[in-house]
Amino acid sequence: MYIRRICEETTRADAVAAFRDLKSTLPEQYDQTLQRIEQSGPRATLAYRTFAWLLQVKTLLSLDGLCEALSIDSGDTKSSKARKPNIQVVLDACKGFVIVGNISKRVELFHHTLVEHLSSKSQLIDLMPQIPRKCLSYLLYEYFKDPCTDTSAIAVRQFSYSRHTPVCFGPHMYVAKQKLSCRTKYAGL
């Protein structure tokens, strides 16, 4: 994260200034990176949606699985390739907060302290209820309506995200409910 921030600078003086700025605490560094993400326009929305998915998944997602999850829109009846983002665009939008495991080739947040930090951000708390809705939309895709009758029907359903949704739908609902009740409880203070 620190090196990436320095490497993004365009002049030597800016790189030196960014290096000097690294003396702040880790939460301050996280907040600075989040500010840079928020300044990136439409990519900020993609980054926050990615964080919301990664905060709620109970199993690590593959690269394709994450992109497929990000492409789900409530009310869809089938997968949309036009809405599926490129993984490199996703990783760039997240400014080093999301990494791909060398061995597992699974996508994850780069450190457990980031999980704690992001969990308190209102932008993500607002996105949490969308995850179970998107999982439900996914499970209602026309591909899954009828039982598999042969191997070709199974092959059609071999989506990267399809193994994750049935296992994690319940936990997504529980987490979303907890976040909403916590937010409601403290909103009146």
Side-chain angles (χ1 to χ4, degrees):
M1 180 177 71
Y2 294 125
I3 293 172
R4 183 182 181 115
R5 178 158 180 246
I6 293 168
C7 290
E8 286 180 346
E9 298 301 334
T10 56
T11 66
R12 183 178 177 156
D14 291 339
V16 169
F19 181 74
R20 287 189 182 128
D21 194 32
L22 295 180
K23 295 176 183 160
S24 58
T25 66
L26 194 55
E28 290 171 337
Q29 284 296 318
Y30 288 162
D31 286 336
Q32 287 176 1
T33 302
L34 287 171
Q35 286 174 353
R36 288 191 1 259
I37 288 171
E38 289 169 8
Q39 294 168 354
S40 65
R43 289 184 179 217
T45 303
L46 177 61
Y48 279 109
R49 287 177 43 231
T50 302
F51 300 152
W53 277 103
L54 293 178
L55 285 171
Q56 286 208 18
V57 294
K58 302 301 177 202
T59 59
L60 296 179
L61 293 172
S62 67
L63 300 172
D64 285 339
L66 174 63
C67 291
E68 191 172 325
L70 290 168
S71 73
I72 300 168
D73 196 21
S74 298
D76 282 354
T77 58
K78 61 183 178 178
S79 182
S80 172
K81 289 183 182 181
R83 209 178 4 260
K84 192 173 180 181
N86 178 294
I87 189 61
Q88 195 56 53
V89 172
V90 173
L91 295 173
D92 289 345
C94 294
K95 305 279 187 209
F97 278 176
V98 174
I99 59 169
V100 179
N102 289 334
I103 297 171
S104 69
K105 298 296 181 205
R106 302 285 177 180
V107 185
E108 58 189 306
L109 294 170
F110 90 97
H111 197 262
H112 67 89
T113 58
L114 180 61
V115 172
E116 295 168 16
H117 191 77
L118 289 175
S119 294
S120 67
K121 298 299 176 190
S122 63
Q123 300 96 320
L124 288 168
I125 292 171
D126 292 342
L127 289 174
M128 294 301 186
Q130 291 180 14
I131 303 300
R133 283 189 210 120
K134 289 180 184 253
C135 287
L136 187 56
S137 290
Y138 185 82
L139 290 172
L140 293 173
Y141 277 4
E142 62 187 39
Y143 310 117
F144 304 119
K145 284 188 179 178
D146 298 319
C148 295
T149 55
D150 57 19
T151 55
S152 65
I154 294 171
V156 169
R157 298 175 193 193
Q158 293 298 316
F159 298 108
S160 302
Y161 188 68
S162 62
R163 287 173 292 240
H164 171 81
T165 303
V167 173
C168 296
F169 179 70
H172 287 318
M173 289 296 291
Y174 177 77
V175 169
K177 183 180 175 186
Q178 296 297 85
K179 298 280 184 188
L180 282 176
S181 66
C182 185
R183 188 172 180 86
T184 305
K185 180 179 177 181
Y186 294 112
L189 297 177

